[in-house]
Amino acid sequence: MSETMNKTGEVKEINILDMMNGAIGERVDYELGKVMRNCLDLNTDAKKARTLTLEIGIVPTEHRDSAAIKVSVKSKLVPVKALDSTLLLGGTADEPVVMEYTPQVPGQRNLAGGEQDEPKMIRLADVKQA
């Protein structure tokens, strides 16, 4: 624990997060907020761990009468999940045709009452093979 003097000259104990006028605690709160938002993001994997790291570096002086302290607070978040789909391939080598796969026949209704759209053709760049 770190200690500080109050107005009456008494030594008051504080938590390490309260050091540097509370800046360490503020950084921890900030990074924890990022971690919690990442936990709530439905586009991330719920089963992967997020981490919050508080690193404290302490270097004493040669005379050992004081020490420099450096505090780093970092979070490691889970990335947004990759999206996947299936492409239908057709056409020829000279003029390929690509469409995104649709799970139902176009125009067919699903159980929720929605109608399957027509598959969309994906535009390909005109690339000449060497």
Side-chain angles (χ1 to χ4, degrees):
M1 288 237 183
S2 180
E3 298 179 350
T4 169
M5 304 253 293
N6 64 18
K7 292 179 185 175
T8 62
E10 298 174 22
V11 175
K12 175 185 169 195
E13 290 186 6
I14 63 170
N15 183 297
I16 195 158
L17 296 178
D18 295 327
M19 281 183 55
M20 300 178 188
N21 291 322
I24 298 173
E26 286 178 8
R27 296 270 175 101
V28 169
D29 289 346
Y30 175 77
E31 292 297 324
L32 183 60
K34 287 171 47 176
V35 169
M36 293 299 106
R37 281 189 287 285
N38 188 256
C39 286
L40 292 171
D41 186 344
L42 298 177
N43 292 309
T44 61
D45 188 342
K47 295 181 181 181
K48 290 190 177 177
R50 286 85 169 145
T51 59
L52 179 65
T53 304
L54 173 64
E55 186 176 301
I56 302 172
I58 302 168
V59 180
T61 61
E62 189 66 35
H63 297 291
R64 309 297 199 270
D65 56 353
S66 65
I69 182 170
K70 185 173 184 176
V71 178
S72 171
V73 182
K74 300 180 259 191
S75 59
K76 184 175 179 190
L77 307 177
V78 173
V80 172
K81 294 179 201 174
L83 301 173
D84 61 359
S85 186
T86 301
L87 296 177
L88 301 174
L89 307 173
T92 66
D94 291 332
E95 293 183 28
V97 176
V98 179
M99 282 192 235
E100 186 175 14
Y101 171 78
T102 56
Q104 296 181 164
V105 175
Q108 183 177 11
R109 293 204 177 274
N110 60 24
L111 295 175
E115 187 176 315
Q116 178 65 55
D117 292 334
E118 289 285 330
K120 294 173 180 64
M121 189 83 63
I122 297 172
R123 185 176 344 159
L124 302 173
D126 188 18
V127 178
K128 303 294 181 200
Q129 292 184 350

